[in-house]
Amino acid sequence: MWSFIQDQILGMKWLNELIGEVSTNLGFDITSKLGGSLQFFIYDVIKITILLCVLIFIISYIQSYFPPERSRKILGRFDGLGANIISALLGTVTPFCSCSSIPIFMGFTSAGLPTGVSFSFLISSPMVDLGSLILLMSIFGGKIALAYVVFGLIIAVIGGSLIEKMHMESYVEDFIKNASQVDISSPSLTLKDRVDFSKTQVIDTFKKVFPYILVGVGIGSLIHNWIPQTWVENILGSKNPLGVILATIVGVPMYADIFGTIPIAEALLSKGAQLGTVLSFMMAVTTLSLPSLIMLKKAVKPKLLFLFIGICIFGIIVVGYLFNIFSPILI
């Protein structure tokens, strides 16, 4: 039953076979590089789009119960390590990309929440949302997806706790710390309100994300069918002990979310890249995109910004090597 769910419902292998049959009937040779690229492109775009819309609707419905003001009140009830853990967990039901998480992070910080608690949210929100769990399950299986989310939450909790222990409050910009706060109770939403909110989120997020899906799937199809396997193995495989570091550094300046990086990761893995190396690339892209760092620079001073970047990069690299070590157990 689980194999059926993973292969046919999440992985949609039936769709890949259908596209292959239709392409063949139209005269395309799916065993050729061009035909294989076409099949990969159409299949991944349709599959990721379906998963995207379904997941955003479900997660947005859940998110309607946790608006920023309510989330702030929930976090205010905890302190110490517990607050970091709850903050990281709240990050899993909030926006999909790092840029969308920055305004919420600013709101938490200006509301008086500990700086480290706000950073735990900022790390986990783009890295380990519920959408990433389902998408990773559709490609890599349940064990890998669950391990990815657990490690991502650990990075968020440890990173936020470390920032808190170092007392970095003075490195938050004054306009954030001194922002006025109005305690407005969240309106009670009806079922229709929540459904309408979820529909709107699906449409808005789809418009923003779909171009990155096309780019990501396009790159994935090129890697899958045109890049020699030996190239990928030499650069990102076990032959290169620095593959994790290289993948992390390459991923940092890119801007995409989990939906755009999945097809690239899938293609790299099929070509012989190591599991941890691929997942490090995904974490770096989703957590440390250049646009989000530019936005964050407006809210915090350089010392805190570089500390945040350093913690994330170090954590991602460590997780990558751990995945490479234990990949025989997970795959």
Side-chain angles (χ1 to χ4, degrees), residues 62-302:
I62 298 172
Q63 187 183 338
S64 69
Y65 289 92
F66 298 96
E69 177 60 24
R70 184 175 184 184
S71 299
R72 183 189 68 80
K73 289 182 177 180
I74 292 173
L75 291 175
R77 300 171 187 167
F78 299 87
D79 54 20
L81 183 62
N84 291 98
I85 294 173
I86 298 300
S87 181
L89 290 173
L90 278 175
T92 64
V93 292
T94 47
F96 295 94
C97 70
S98 51
C99 287
S100 301
S101 304
I102 300 294
I104 301 178
F105 160 80
M106 292 180 178
F108 285 171
T109 305
S110 61
L113 290 178
T115 303
V117 173
S118 298
F119 269 100
S120 286
F121 167 86
L122 183 61
I123 296 171
S124 74
S125 180
M127 184 186 290
V128 291
D129 59 73
L130 295 178
S132 66
L133 175 62
I134 304 300
L135 278 175
L136 286 166
M137 287 173 61
S138 72
I139 303 298
F140 303 117
K143 289 190 292 185
I144 294 174
L146 184 60
Y148 176 91
V149 171
V150 169
F151 277 122
L153 288 172
I154 290 173
I155 293 175
V157 172
I158 292 177
S161 299
L162 182 60
I163 289 174
E164 191 65 29
K165 292 294 183 182
M166 296 178 68
H167 302 289
M168 303 298 291
E169 296 83 3
S170 61
Y171 294 95
V172 177
E173 293 290 355
D174 291 337
F175 81 92
I176 297 292
K177 292 187 291 186
N178 300 329
S180 60
Q181 289 291 312
V182 180
D183 189 6
I184 302 174
S185 298
S186 301
S188 58
L189 301 178
T190 64
L191 175 62
K192 183 179 182 302
D193 292 334
R194 299 186 193 281
V195 171
D196 290 341
F197 169 76
S198 302
K199 289 179 180 178
T200 301
Q201 289 292 97
V202 169
I203 295 171
D204 292 345
T205 305
F206 177 79
K207 289 179 180 178
K208 291 189 293 185
V209 169
F210 189 66
Y212 298 105
I213 292 177
L214 294 179
V215 173
V217 175
I219 294 173
S221 65
L222 289 175
I223 296 172
H224 196 274
N225 294 280
W226 296 87
I227 303 298
Q229 183 166 339
T230 53
W231 290 12
V232 177
E233 289 178 346
N234 289 334
I235 298 173
L236 301 178
S238 58
K239 297 178 181 179
N240 184 4
L242 300 178
V244 170
I245 298 174
L246 177 62
T248 303
I249 293 174
V250 170
V252 168
M254 298 178 65
Y255 177 56
D257 54 26
I258 192 72
F259 298 100
T261 56
I262 279 285
I264 300 176
E266 181 184 11
L268 288 172
L269 193 65
S270 69
K271 283 290 185 177
Q274 289 188 287
L275 175 63
T277 304
V278 170
L279 295 181
S280 291
F281 169 77
M282 290 175 56
M283 284 184 167
V285 171
T286 55
T287 308
L288 293 171
S289 67
L290 188 58
S292 71
L293 295 179
I294 293 173
M295 291 177 63
L296 185 59
K297 184 179 181 297
K298 303 293 183 181
V300 301
K301 297 175 182 177

